[in-house]
Amino acid sequence: MNDVARLAGVSIKTVSRVVNDEPAVHPETAERVLAAIDQLGFRRNLGARNLRRGSTTGTVGLVVEDVGNPFYSELTRAVEKVATAFGRHVLSGSSEEDSDRERELALEFCSRRVDGLLVVPAGTHHGYLVPEMRAGTPVVFVDRPAGDVAADTVLVDNVGGTVAAVAHLARHGHRRIAFLGDRPDIYTAAERLRGFREGCARAGLPVDERLAILRPPTARSVADAVARLLAGPDPATAIIAGNNRVTVHLLRALAHVTSRPAIVGFDDFELADLLDPPVTVVAHDVSRLGSAAAELLFARINGDASAPRKVVLPVTLVPRGSGEVAP
């Protein structure tokens, strides 16, 4: 401010009035001050200004698993749209499915005094957020619940989705249905496996645990799992893929297989309807997941003090061809 005042030939108080949009500054004087700010390359620290005034920092934090995953890119965009409507910006980061990294990011955002926090949990211990929540920072968990704190949560119907997938495949004559999912310590993977088992029970199918494989979804791990599922005298005739990344790796692994099993993927993904055959999926509205969580967060920011809520969004089975192949 001293440098700006000196260059513009005004007092420090005048500079303060201009940058804080206060009245009673002559337009020509204000223009001279703004020109000096531009010439010197300075930028206002809005966070510091807002904190000094006792108002918000104008930001919310968002911790996701991997912003490079189209699922989380769509979710982030939905959060940004809601935040923009409330005059806020979004600070985001990827935990890479590491609970320590999740904690680091969440506390870093809190140290920057975000107005609220959205978290896709990588771990199950969230007591570290209790002091922040008690201090008035609202937290909403997205896609997975918190492990050990009472907080707002927005989920999709993971169990119902895989129950529907099993029922669909069973109606098309399949009795050897496999489930290929992500790591078993991930909430969504565990819930979808639970839905798979429940779906088999409802359809009167025995649950062969050899047909349920959960592991990190890499091209190699999925290819190895597919080789196991299709080997032997009684192979799987249908495979339910536990998320979009598993489905993509599964399709690659089956690219040169002549007798392909039926496929149902959990999560829709780009170009799924253009493949041959088009991929049958359990779809849900990722944008709605992000916007519902963000709307709940801003309700808390704006004073909603009701008990923590759990919102479960519906899923829809979309038949396109790959899940309607006969055994």
Side-chain angles (χ1 to χ4, degrees):
M1 288 177 67
N2 277 309
D3 293 339
V4 172
R6 189 162 42 250
L7 182 59
V10 299
S11 68
I12 293 176
K13 182 63 177 175
T14 298
V15 175
S16 176
R17 285 178 177 149
V18 171
V19 298
N20 288 296
D21 300 320
E22 295 180 9
V25 178
H26 194 279
E28 290 183 1
T29 303
E31 186 177 339
R32 197 161 69 248
V33 170
L34 293 173
I37 291 171
D38 287 341
Q39 183 177 337
L40 292 168
F42 290 155
R43 189 181 300 275
R44 289 181 294 180
N45 187 328
L46 296 177
R49 183 187 70 169
N50 289 335
L51 284 173
R52 188 181 43 150
R53 289 179 168 183
S55 58
T56 73
T57 59
T59 59
V60 295
L62 171 63
V63 180
V64 298
E65 178 202 342
D66 177 8
V67 73
N69 185 327
F71 176 93
Y72 292 110
S73 299
E74 187 174 347
L75 186 143
T76 299
R77 181 61 182 140
V79 171
E80 287 178 340
K81 286 183 178 179
V82 176
T84 298
F86 282 92
R88 305 300 207 287
H89 295 286
V90 179
L91 306 177
S92 64
S94 302
S95 69
E96 299 175 356
E97 210 61 78
D98 182 326
S99 58
D100 290 335
R101 175 65 176 160
E102 173 214 296
R103 182 179 186 276
E104 177 187 343
L105 282 170
L107 292 180
E108 173 65 21
F109 291 151
C110 288
S111 73
R112 294 175 183 272
R113 308 291 10 127
V114 292
D115 300 334
L117 189 63
L118 293 156
V119 179
V120 177
T124 57
H125 301 291
H126 298 94
Y128 68 87
L129 284 171
V130 171
E132 304 295 338
M133 296 165 70
R134 287 176 177 166
T137 302
V139 179
V140 175
F141 290 88
V142 191
D143 196 40
R144 310 168 186 173
D148 52 3
V149 297
D152 293 317
T153 307
V154 182
L155 311 171
V156 300
D157 187 3
N158 296 289
V159 172
T162 40
V163 167
V166 172
H168 183 75
L169 292 167
R171 282 195 297 272
H172 285 81
H174 292 276
R175 293 295 177 267
R176 296 285 291 170
I177 303 172
F179 177 80
L180 186 53
D182 210 322
R183 287 170 19 199
D185 58 323
I186 296 174
Y187 173 82
T188 48
E191 286 293 282
R192 291 168 191 178
L193 175 61
R194 184 163 71 89
F196 168 72
R197 289 172 174 156
E198 184 176 322
C200 288
R202 291 188 187 184
L205 303 178
V207 178
D208 185 345
E209 292 299 336
R210 293 173 298 179
L211 296 182
I213 301 176
L214 276 72
R215 55 178 60 179
T218 65
R220 172 62 65 83
S221 69
V222 171
D224 289 345
V226 169
R228 283 176 49 191
L229 293 172
L230 300 186
D234 198 14
T237 63
I239 300 176
I240 298 171
N243 62 35
N244 59 348
R245 288 180 299 174
V246 175
T247 305
V248 170
H249 289 313
L250 173 60
L251 293 171
R252 287 198 178 107
L254 293 172
H256 302 294
V257 174
T258 54
S259 182
R260 292 175 56 165
I263 298 171
V264 176
F266 205 115
D267 302 331
D268 206 352
F269 60 98
E270 191 173 8
L271 304 182
D273 57 330
L274 299 180
L275 297 175
D276 185 20
V279 181
T280 297
V281 296
V282 176
H284 56 93
D285 191 338
V286 181
S287 292
R288 183 57 191 147
L289 180 67
S291 61
E295 288 163 2
L296 187 49
L297 182 70
F298 280 104
R300 299 301 189 188
I301 290 172
N302 292 330
D304 184 346
S306 60
R309 301 178 204 165
K310 178 181 177 181
V311 178
V312 180
L313 301 177
V315 299
T316 305
L317 192 137
V318 183
R320 293 185 179 133
S322 71
E324 292 69 55
V325 178

Short mmCIF file of all heavy atoms in Angstrom, two decimals, residues 258-296:
data_model
loop_
_atom_site.label_atom_id
_atom_site.label_comp_id
_atom_site.label_asym_id
_atom_site.label_seq_id
_atom_site.Cartn_x
_atom_site.Cartn_y
_atom_site.Cartn_z
N THR A 258 -12.80 -64.85 -27.65
CA THR A 258 -13.84 -65.17 -28.65
C THR A 258 -15.21 -65.41 -28.02
O THR A 258 -16.22 -64.93 -28.53
CB THR A 258 -13.42 -66.42 -29.45
OG1 THR A 258 -13.12 -67.48 -28.54
CG2 THR A 258 -12.20 -66.12 -30.30
N SER A 259 -15.25 -66.14 -26.91
CA SER A 259 -16.53 -66.41 -26.23
C SER A 259 -16.61 -65.53 -24.99
O SER A 259 -16.17 -65.90 -23.90
CB SER A 259 -16.62 -67.89 -25.85
OG SER A 259 -17.87 -68.16 -25.23
N ARG A 260 -17.17 -64.33 -25.19
CA ARG A 260 -17.16 -63.35 -24.11
C ARG A 260 -18.35 -63.53 -23.18
O ARG A 260 -19.46 -63.85 -23.62
CB ARG A 260 -17.20 -61.93 -24.70
CG ARG A 260 -15.93 -61.56 -25.44
CD ARG A 260 -16.02 -60.21 -26.11
NE ARG A 260 -16.37 -59.14 -25.19
CZ ARG A 260 -16.23 -57.84 -25.49
NH1 ARG A 260 -15.78 -57.48 -26.68
NH2 ARG A 260 -16.57 -56.94 -24.62
N PRO A 261 -18.13 -63.31 -21.88
CA PRO A 261 -19.25 -63.37 -20.94
C PRO A 261 -20.13 -62.13 -21.07
O PRO A 261 -19.72 -61.11 -21.65
CB PRO A 261 -18.55 -63.40 -19.58
CG PRO A 261 -17.27 -62.64 -19.81
CD PRO A 261 -16.86 -62.98 -21.21
N ALA A 262 -21.31 -62.21 -20.51
CA ALA A 262 -22.16 -61.02 -20.41
C ALA A 262 -21.51 -60.06 -19.41
O ALA A 262 -20.82 -60.48 -18.48
CB ALA A 262 -23.55 -61.41 -19.95
N ILE A 263 -21.73 -58.76 -19.60
CA ILE A 263 -21.10 -57.75 -18.75
C ILE A 263 -22.13 -56.72 -18.32
O ILE A 263 -22.92 -56.22 -19.14
CB ILE A 263 -19.97 -57.01 -19.50
CG1 ILE A 263 -18.86 -57.98 -19.90
CG2 ILE A 263 -19.40 -55.88 -18.64
CD1 ILE A 263 -17.83 -57.36 -20.83
N VAL A 264 -22.12 -56.41 -17.03
CA VAL A 264 -22.85 -55.26 -16.50
C VAL A 264 -21.86 -54.46 -15.67
O VAL A 264 -21.22 -55.00 -14.76
CB VAL A 264 -24.05 -55.68 -15.62
CG1 VAL A 264 -24.72 -54.43 -15.02
CG2 VAL A 264 -25.06 -56.47 -16.43
N GLY A 265 -21.70 -53.17 -15.97
CA GLY A 265 -20.78 -52.32 -15.23
C GLY A 265 -21.53 -51.41 -14.28
O GLY A 265 -22.61 -50.93 -14.59
N PHE A 266 -20.94 -51.19 -13.10
CA PHE A 266 -21.50 -50.20 -12.16
C PHE A 266 -20.81 -48.88 -12.45
O PHE A 266 -19.58 -48.80 -12.44
CB PHE A 266 -21.24 -50.63 -10.72
CG PHE A 266 -22.24 -50.05 -9.74
CD1 PHE A 266 -23.10 -50.88 -9.04
CD2 PHE A 266 -22.32 -48.69 -9.51
CE1 PHE A 266 -24.02 -50.36 -8.13
CE2 PHE A 266 -23.23 -48.15 -8.63
CZ PHE A 266 -24.07 -49.00 -7.93
N ASP A 267 -21.58 -47.85 -12.71
CA ASP A 267 -21.17 -46.51 -13.16
C ASP A 267 -21.19 -46.50 -14.69
O ASP A 267 -20.62 -47.38 -15.33
CB ASP A 267 -19.76 -46.08 -12.73
CG ASP A 267 -19.54 -46.06 -11.23
OD1 ASP A 267 -20.52 -45.83 -10.50
OD2 ASP A 267 -18.38 -46.27 -10.81
N ASP A 268 -21.84 -45.50 -15.23
CA ASP A 268 -21.79 -45.30 -16.68
C ASP A 268 -20.46 -44.63 -17.01
O ASP A 268 -19.78 -44.08 -16.13
CB ASP A 268 -22.96 -44.43 -17.12
CG ASP A 268 -23.35 -44.67 -18.58
OD1 ASP A 268 -22.62 -45.39 -19.28
OD2 ASP A 268 -24.39 -44.13 -19.00
N PHE A 269 -20.08 -44.67 -18.26
CA PHE A 269 -18.84 -44.02 -18.66
C PHE A 269 -18.94 -43.60 -20.13
O PHE A 269 -19.77 -44.12 -20.88
CB PHE A 269 -17.62 -44.93 -18.43
CG PHE A 269 -17.66 -46.23 -19.17
CD1 PHE A 269 -16.99 -46.40 -20.37
CD2 PHE A 269 -18.38 -47.31 -18.66
CE1 PHE A 269 -17.02 -47.61 -21.04
CE2 PHE A 269 -18.41 -48.52 -19.33
CZ PHE A 269 -17.74 -48.67 -20.53
N GLU A 270 -18.09 -42.68 -20.52
CA GLU A 270 -18.16 -42.11 -21.87
C GLU A 270 -17.93 -43.19 -22.93
O GLU A 270 -17.04 -44.04 -22.79
CB GLU A 270 -17.11 -41.01 -22.01
CG GLU A 270 -17.26 -40.18 -23.27
CD GLU A 270 -16.31 -39.00 -23.30
OE1 GLU A 270 -15.44 -38.92 -22.42
OE2 GLU A 270 -16.45 -38.17 -24.21
N LEU A 271 -18.74 -43.15 -23.98
CA LEU A 271 -18.68 -44.04 -25.13
C LEU A 271 -19.17 -45.46 -24.83
O LEU A 271 -19.10 -46.33 -25.69
CB LEU A 271 -17.26 -44.11 -25.73
CG LEU A 271 -16.63 -42.78 -26.15
CD1 LEU A 271 -15.25 -43.03 -26.75
CD2 LEU A 271 -17.52 -42.03 -27.12
N ALA A 272 -19.68 -45.70 -23.62
CA ALA A 272 -20.17 -47.05 -23.29
C ALA A 272 -21.27 -47.47 -24.25
O ALA A 272 -21.40 -48.67 -24.56
CB ALA A 272 -20.68 -47.08 -21.86
N ASP A 273 -22.06 -46.53 -24.74
CA ASP A 273 -23.17 -46.86 -25.63
C ASP A 273 -22.73 -47.05 -27.08
O ASP A 273 -23.52 -47.47 -27.92
CB ASP A 273 -24.24 -45.77 -25.55
CG ASP A 273 -23.69 -44.39 -25.90
OD1 ASP A 273 -22.49 -44.14 -25.64
OD2 ASP A 273 -24.46 -43.56 -26.43
N LEU A 274 -21.44 -46.76 -27.38
CA LEU A 274 -20.96 -46.86 -28.76
C LEU A 274 -20.08 -48.09 -29.00
O LEU A 274 -19.65 -48.32 -30.12
CB LEU A 274 -20.17 -45.60 -29.14
CG LEU A 274 -20.96 -44.28 -29.08
CD1 LEU A 274 -20.07 -43.12 -29.48
CD2 LEU A 274 -22.18 -44.35 -29.98
N LEU A 275 -19.80 -48.85 -27.95
CA LEU A 275 -18.98 -50.05 -28.10
C LEU A 275 -19.79 -51.17 -28.73
O LEU A 275 -21.00 -51.06 -28.92
CB LEU A 275 -18.45 -50.47 -26.73
CG LEU A 275 -17.52 -49.45 -26.05
CD1 LEU A 275 -17.15 -49.92 -24.65
CD2 LEU A 275 -16.26 -49.21 -26.87
N ASP A 276 -19.11 -52.25 -29.07
CA ASP A 276 -19.78 -53.39 -29.71
C ASP A 276 -19.53 -54.65 -28.89
O ASP A 276 -18.45 -55.21 -28.92
CB ASP A 276 -19.23 -53.58 -31.12
CG ASP A 276 -19.96 -54.68 -31.89
OD1 ASP A 276 -21.09 -55.02 -31.49
OD2 ASP A 276 -19.38 -55.19 -32.86
N PRO A 277 -20.53 -55.15 -28.15
CA PRO A 277 -21.86 -54.54 -27.99
C PRO A 277 -21.81 -53.37 -27.02
O PRO A 277 -20.88 -53.28 -26.21
CB PRO A 277 -22.68 -55.69 -27.42
CG PRO A 277 -21.69 -56.48 -26.62
CD PRO A 277 -20.41 -56.41 -27.41
N PRO A 278 -22.79 -52.48 -27.07
CA PRO A 278 -22.86 -51.40 -26.07
C PRO A 278 -22.95 -51.99 -24.67
O PRO A 278 -23.52 -53.06 -24.47
CB PRO A 278 -24.15 -50.65 -26.46
CG PRO A 278 -24.36 -50.99 -27.89
CD PRO A 278 -23.88 -52.40 -28.06
N VAL A 279 -22.37 -51.27 -23.71
CA VAL A 279 -22.22 -51.82 -22.36
C VAL A 279 -23.44 -51.51 -21.50
O VAL A 279 -23.83 -50.35 -21.33
CB VAL A 279 -20.95 -51.28 -21.68
CG1 VAL A 279 -20.79 -51.90 -20.29
CG2 VAL A 279 -19.72 -51.58 -22.53
N THR A 280 -24.03 -52.56 -20.98
CA THR A 280 -25.12 -52.42 -19.99
C THR A 280 -24.52 -51.94 -18.68
O THR A 280 -23.50 -52.47 -18.23
CB THR A 280 -25.82 -53.77 -19.79
OG1 THR A 280 -26.42 -54.15 -21.03
CG2 THR A 280 -26.88 -53.69 -18.71
N VAL A 281 -25.13 -50.94 -18.05
CA VAL A 281 -24.56 -50.37 -16.84
C VAL A 281 -25.63 -50.14 -15.77
O VAL A 281 -26.82 -50.03 -16.08
CB VAL A 281 -23.87 -49.01 -17.12
CG1 VAL A 281 -22.67 -49.19 -18.04
CG2 VAL A 281 -24.85 -47.99 -17.68
N VAL A 282 -25.16 -50.09 -14.53
CA VAL A 282 -25.96 -49.55 -13.43
C VAL A 282 -25.56 -48.09 -13.32
O VAL A 282 -24.44 -47.77 -12.90
CB VAL A 282 -25.67 -50.30 -12.11
CG1 VAL A 282 -26.45 -49.65 -10.97
CG2 VAL A 282 -26.03 -51.77 -12.24
N ALA A 283 -26.43 -47.21 -13.77
CA ALA A 283 -26.10 -45.80 -13.88
C ALA A 283 -26.68 -45.00 -12.72
O ALA A 283 -27.72 -45.35 -12.16
CB ALA A 283 -26.61 -45.23 -15.20
N HIS A 284 -25.99 -43.95 -12.37
CA HIS A 284 -26.51 -42.98 -11.43
C HIS A 284 -26.02 -41.60 -11.84
O HIS A 284 -25.06 -41.47 -12.60
CB HIS A 284 -26.11 -43.31 -9.99
CG HIS A 284 -24.63 -43.42 -9.78
ND1 HIS A 284 -23.85 -42.37 -9.37
CD2 HIS A 284 -23.80 -44.48 -9.92
CE1 HIS A 284 -22.59 -42.76 -9.27
NE2 HIS A 284 -22.53 -44.04 -9.61
N ASP A 285 -26.69 -40.59 -11.36
CA ASP A 285 -26.40 -39.22 -11.78
C ASP A 285 -25.27 -38.65 -10.93
O ASP A 285 -25.48 -38.22 -9.79
CB ASP A 285 -27.66 -38.37 -11.63
CG ASP A 285 -27.52 -37.01 -12.29
OD1 ASP A 285 -26.37 -36.55 -12.49
OD2 ASP A 285 -28.56 -36.39 -12.58
N VAL A 286 -24.05 -38.68 -11.47
CA VAL A 286 -22.88 -38.20 -10.72
C VAL A 286 -23.00 -36.71 -10.44
O VAL A 286 -22.63 -36.24 -9.37
CB VAL A 286 -21.58 -38.50 -11.49
CG1 VAL A 286 -20.36 -38.03 -10.70
CG2 VAL A 286 -21.46 -39.99 -11.78
N SER A 287 -23.53 -35.98 -11.40
CA SER A 287 -23.72 -34.53 -11.18
C SER A 287 -24.68 -34.29 -10.02
O SER A 287 -24.46 -33.38 -9.21
CB SER A 287 -24.26 -33.87 -12.45
OG SER A 287 -23.30 -33.88 -13.47
N ARG A 288 -25.72 -35.10 -9.94
CA ARG A 288 -26.68 -34.95 -8.83
C ARG A 288 -26.01 -35.28 -7.50
O ARG A 288 -26.30 -34.64 -6.48
CB ARG A 288 -27.88 -35.86 -9.07
CG ARG A 288 -28.97 -35.72 -8.00
CD ARG A 288 -29.46 -34.30 -7.88
NE ARG A 288 -30.29 -34.08 -6.72
CZ ARG A 288 -30.35 -32.96 -6.03
NH1 ARG A 288 -29.58 -31.93 -6.37
NH2 ARG A 288 -31.14 -32.83 -4.99
N LEU A 289 -25.12 -36.27 -7.51
CA LEU A 289 -24.38 -36.61 -6.29
C LEU A 289 -23.57 -35.41 -5.80
O LEU A 289 -23.61 -35.06 -4.62
CB LEU A 289 -23.45 -37.79 -6.58
CG LEU A 289 -22.59 -38.31 -5.43
CD1 LEU A 289 -23.45 -38.93 -4.34
CD2 LEU A 289 -21.57 -39.33 -5.95
N GLY A 290 -22.87 -34.76 -6.73
CA GLY A 290 -22.06 -33.59 -6.35
C GLY A 290 -22.91 -32.41 -5.94
O GLY A 290 -22.62 -31.74 -4.95
N SER A 291 -23.98 -32.15 -6.70
CA SER A 291 -24.80 -30.98 -6.39
C SER A 291 -25.58 -31.18 -5.10
O SER A 291 -25.74 -30.24 -4.31
CB SER A 291 -25.75 -30.67 -7.55
OG SER A 291 -26.63 -31.75 -7.79
N ALA A 292 -26.06 -32.41 -4.84
CA ALA A 292 -26.80 -32.67 -3.60
C ALA A 292 -25.90 -32.46 -2.38
O ALA A 292 -26.31 -31.88 -1.37
CB ALA A 292 -27.36 -34.08 -3.60
N ALA A 293 -24.66 -32.93 -2.49
CA ALA A 293 -23.71 -32.75 -1.39
C ALA A 293 -23.39 -31.27 -1.19
O ALA A 293 -23.34 -30.77 -0.05
CB ALA A 293 -22.44 -33.54 -1.66
N ALA A 294 -23.18 -30.56 -2.29
CA ALA A 294 -22.84 -29.13 -2.19
C ALA A 294 -24.02 -28.32 -1.65
O ALA A 294 -23.83 -27.41 -0.83
CB ALA A 294 -22.42 -28.60 -3.56
N GLU A 295 -25.22 -28.64 -2.08
CA GLU A 295 -26.40 -27.93 -1.58
C GLU A 295 -26.58 -28.16 -0.08
O GLU A 295 -26.94 -27.24 0.67
CB GLU A 295 -27.65 -28.38 -2.34
CG GLU A 295 -27.70 -27.87 -3.78
CD GLU A 295 -28.68 -28.63 -4.65
OE1 GLU A 295 -29.35 -29.55 -4.11
OE2 GLU A 295 -28.77 -28.33 -5.85
N LEU A 296 -26.31 -29.38 0.37
CA LEU A 296 -26.39 -29.68 1.79
C LEU A 296 -25.33 -28.90 2.56
O LEU A 296 -25.59 -28.37 3.65
CB LEU A 296 -26.23 -31.18 2.01
CG LEU A 296 -26.43 -31.74 3.42
CD1 LEU A 296 -27.72 -31.25 4.05
CD2 LEU A 296 -26.42 -33.26 3.37
#
